[in-house]
Amino acid sequence: MTETFKAVLISRDEDKKQSVAWTELSEDDLMEGDVTVAVEATTVNYKDGLAITGKAPVVRRFPLVPGIDFAGTVTTSSHPDWKEGDRVILNGWGVGETHYGAYAERARVNGDWLVPLPDGMSAKDAMAVGTAGYTAMLCVMALERHGITPERGPVVVTGAAGGVGSVAVALLAGQGHHVIASTGRASEADYLKELGAAEIIDREELSGPARPLGKERWAGGVDAVGSHTLANVLSMTSYGGAVAACGLAQGMDLPTSVAPFILRGVSLLGIDSVMAPKALRLEAWQRIATELDHAKLSSIASVIPFGDVLSAAEDIIAGRVRGRVVVEMP
C-alpha cells in the first residue's frame, strides 16, 4: 500500500472560485523533479498568505500545493549534485506558484533549485530566515554593491516589523548602519530596537502621496512596501543614494516622478529572489549563516505546527504577524 502524507491543496472550480483544503497525497501525486525531499520545516510568507487567501493571483496552476520555501533532507535523487541524506534549502523557482510546494510532508523538485543547508544551521533556523530573510540579504548585498556604507549616512527599512524588514534591520545594524525602522505598529518599537534599530518612525510619515523631492533623510533603504511608501523613500534619499525594492505590501504601483533619479542621482535597485542565480543564492545563505546574529532568530521567529498554517496565512495578510513564522512539520 502506498504511503500517504498530509498536505494543503488549493483548487478552483469551473467558476474560478478558489478553495483550500487539507488532503492526503502520496509521492505518486507529486510533480516531476529529480530530487525528493522530506520537508522538515517551512514558513508562512506574505506571498503564501496571498496564495491561500486568494487575495492576489499567486497560484497560477490548479490544483496546487502552496508554500514557497522549505528546508529538509533528500530522500531520493537522480541529480548529480545531491544524494540521500543531504540537507537542503529551497526558495522560489515558482514552487508554491506553478509547482507543488512546501505545505506537504514531501516535495519533489528540480535539483538545480536547491542549495545546501549551511553548516551549523538547523532546518528550523533556516526557515526562521526563510525567503524573507534571504531576500533581505539580497537587498543588503545590492546596497553594498552600490557603495552604501555606514559612513554614507542612515538607512531606512520599511515594513520593518515584517519578515523582510526584521531581518534587514538586524543585518544592517550588525554592519554598523544607523537604521531607521518604519512601522505601522508602535507596539513593536522595543522589538525593533532589540534587533538594532536606532530610530523608529510611523509608517504614516511615508504612506501618503509623495512630493517629487523631500528633505534628504537617508543614504539608502530596503523597501518591502511599494506604492506611496517607496515613492516617499526615494524622494528623501540623499544624493547618490540607493533603495533596494523587493515587495508590494501597500501596492504594486509607484506614483513618483523622475526627480530623485535625475536631480539627486538616486538608484532604485530591483530585488528578485524567485529566479536569482545560484551564485547569489549561495553567497546570500553563506553570509546569513555567518553574519546574522542567530541569538536574534528567537525574537524574529515564532514556531507553529503544520496544522495552524491556514490560520497563520490569514493573520499575515491582516498584518497580525511580527517577524517570521516557522512551520514545524510532523
Side-chain angles (χ1 to χ4, degrees):
M1 187 173 179
T2 303
E3 182 183 355
T4 63
F5 48 85
K6 192 176 181 181
V8 175
L9 197 66
I10 299 178
S11 303
R12 194 165 68 175
D13 63 21
E14 292 179 357
D15 297 324
K16 296 188 177 182
K17 182 179 180 181
Q18 179 176 303
S19 61
V20 183
W22 290 98
T23 190
E24 293 284 327
L25 299 177
S26 73
E27 290 194 10
D28 292 340
D29 297 313
L30 298 176
M31 295 176 66
E32 289 185 6
D34 51 13
V35 180
T36 302
V37 178
V39 179
E40 296 169 22
T42 178
T43 64
V44 181
N45 296 283
Y46 189 74
K47 184 181 281 188
D48 298 318
L50 292 173
I52 287 174
T53 61
K55 297 291 186 183
V58 171
V59 176
R60 301 194 297 278
R61 175 199 186 280
F62 296 91
L64 190 85
V65 174
I68 66 169
D69 54 9
F70 63 74
T73 301
V74 173
T75 58
T76 61
S77 172
S78 60
H79 190 284
D81 290 349
W82 309 108
K83 64 183 185 303
E84 181 181 351
D86 285 343
R87 309 271 285 157
V88 294
I89 299 171
L90 181 135
N91 304 101
W93 296 116
V95 171
E97 299 177 63
T98 58
H99 190 96
Y100 274 21
Y103 294 167
E105 294 172 49
R106 292 287 186 276
R108 183 180 295 131
V109 297
N110 183 331
D112 290 340
W113 300 345
L114 299 168
V115 295
L117 181 70
D119 292 340
M121 290 189 83
S122 68
K124 285 199 294 186
D125 287 341
M127 290 298 101
V129 177
T131 291
Y134 148 70
T135 303
M137 178 55 89
L138 292 177
C139 290
V140 170
M141 289 160 56
L143 292 176
E144 289 174 349
R145 290 194 297 271
H146 199 78
I148 306 302
T149 61
E151 295 72 29
R152 292 280 297 273
V155 290
V156 65
V157 176
T158 65
V164 172
S166 294
V167 180
V169 169
L171 288 170
L172 289 165
Q175 293 183 347
H177 287 276
H178 180 103
V179 179
I180 301 171
S182 167
T183 181
R185 293 176 272 175
S187 60
E188 303 292 10
D190 288 343
Y191 161 73
L192 291 168
K193 288 177 181 176
E194 286 176 13
L195 294 181
E199 296 180 50
I200 313 295
I201 62 173
D202 194 300
R203 70 180 176 200
E204 293 299 321
E205 290 188 37
L206 303 175
S207 62
R211 297 169 58 188
L213 286 176
K215 180 182 178 182
E216 296 179 63
R217 296 176 66 176
W218 35 71
V222 173
D223 176 70
V225 179
S227 193
H228 293 291
T229 297
L230 178 54
N232 275 294
V233 169
L234 289 166
S235 76
M236 299 178 194
T237 300
S238 60
Y239 193 92
V243 178
C246 64
L248 44 67
Q250 188 179 13
M252 192 177 286
D253 59 324
L254 182 55
T256 188
S257 73
V258 298
F261 310 112
I262 66 172
L263 298 179
R264 286 192 183 152
V266 170
S267 295
L268 178 58
L269 312 176
I271 306 300
D272 168 58
S273 65
V274 176
M275 298 294 177
K278 193 163 187 176
L280 275 181
R281 292 169 181 270
L282 291 170
E283 180 184 352
W285 276 106
Q286 286 304 318
R287 290 188 57 179
I288 286 166
T290 57
E291 296 179 26
L292 181 62
D293 183 351
H294 285 215
K296 292 180 178 177
L297 286 178
S298 59
S299 61
I300 290 174
S302 57
V303 181
I304 64 170
F306 188 29
D308 290 351
V309 72
L310 299 184
S311 58
E314 298 279 354
D315 287 342
I316 200 168
I317 295 301
R320 295 190 291 265
V321 169
R322 168 212 276 183
R324 307 281 300 121
V325 177
V326 178
V327 181
E328 190 169 23
M329 303 301 282

